[in-house]
Amino acid sequence: VERSYIMIKPDGVQRGLVGEIITRFERKGFSLKGLKLFQAPKELAEEHYSELKERPFYPELVKYIVSGPVVCMVWEGPGVIASARKLIGATNPLLAEPGTIRGDFGIQSGRNVIHGSDSPDNGEREIALWFKEGELV
Ligand code: ATP
Ligand code: MG
């Protein structure tokens, strides 16, 4: 079965969107396999987004992810990677469709509320980065 690493970013936690976001994934029908509130160390945020190292916004992105606690989740189900990205919406919240999480709750790419894995391989890579084995069911 496919799994996705979904993370509510610090702005989403600070703005009280945790329940709303979990509700959307539950209603869609995916299974929650792991969940924790976590203050990420800088090295972990850097590793998570290592593919973007050369991008001009990378230092700010890392600062953003460590600026407060995040909610780390693993959701499982057929097609969960692509489906989660549809629920989440486009990277730039101003371009994200209403009805998507970013479309409903954001206005800046640099504070876009939530992360979702972009491929099964990256999903498994990210789950291994953010969770220890015993933390998942
Ligand atoms: P994520 O990986 O967080 O789910 P994504 O897959 O939609 O987002 P990526 O291209 O992987 O988009 O970019 C990772 C994150 O980097 C974005 O979610 C956003 O927070 C930040 N980011 C991307 N592009 C920009 C930009 N032009 N300016 C500022 N931040 C950006
Ligand atoms: Mg991405």
Side-chain angles (χ1 to χ4, degrees):
V1 200
E2 195 169 291
R3 301 191 297 178
S4 184
Y5 176 65
I6 303 292
M7 177 169 72
I8 305 174
K9 296 178 179 179
D11 55 323
V13 175
Q14 282 156 14
R15 291 173 58 203
L17 298 173
V18 173
E20 166 78 32
I21 289 169
I22 291 176
T23 295
R24 290 185 182 208
F25 281 86
E26 284 185 316
R27 282 187 182 155
K28 179 69 181 167
F30 293 119
S31 303
L32 185 59
K33 308 302 280 186
L35 171 68
K36 66 181 175 186
L37 183 69
F38 184 61
Q39 173 62 56
K42 186 166 179 254
E43 297 68 33
L44 179 53
E46 287 171 344
E47 184 61 30
H48 175 81
Y49 283 123
S50 57
E51 286 175 341
L52 300 174
K53 215 165 18 200
E54 307 306 329
R55 307 295 290 275
F57 55 82
Y58 178 75
E60 264 202 37
L61 173 59
V62 170
K63 263 205 268 176
Y64 162 46
I65 296 302
V66 303
S67 67
V70 294
V71 171
C72 309
M73 297 182 278
V74 175
W75 288 90
E76 183 179 277
V80 64
I81 300 263
S83 180
R85 287 181 68 89
K86 278 192 186 169
L87 292 174
I88 288 169
T91 305
N92 181 344
L94 285 180
L95 304 178
E97 292 295 330
T100 66
I101 293 165
R102 287 171 177 162
D104 287 348
F105 300 118
I107 55 171
Q108 290 179 58
S109 296
R111 292 184 76 79
N112 62 0
V113 181
I114 185 168
H115 161 80
S117 305
D118 62 9
S119 69
D121 282 355
N122 261 337
E124 292 305 318
R125 179 186 72 88
E126 292 165 357
I127 290 166
L129 273 181
W130 290 89
F131 283 97
K132 299 173 188 145
E133 203 131 312
E135 293 176 328
L136 300 174
V137 297

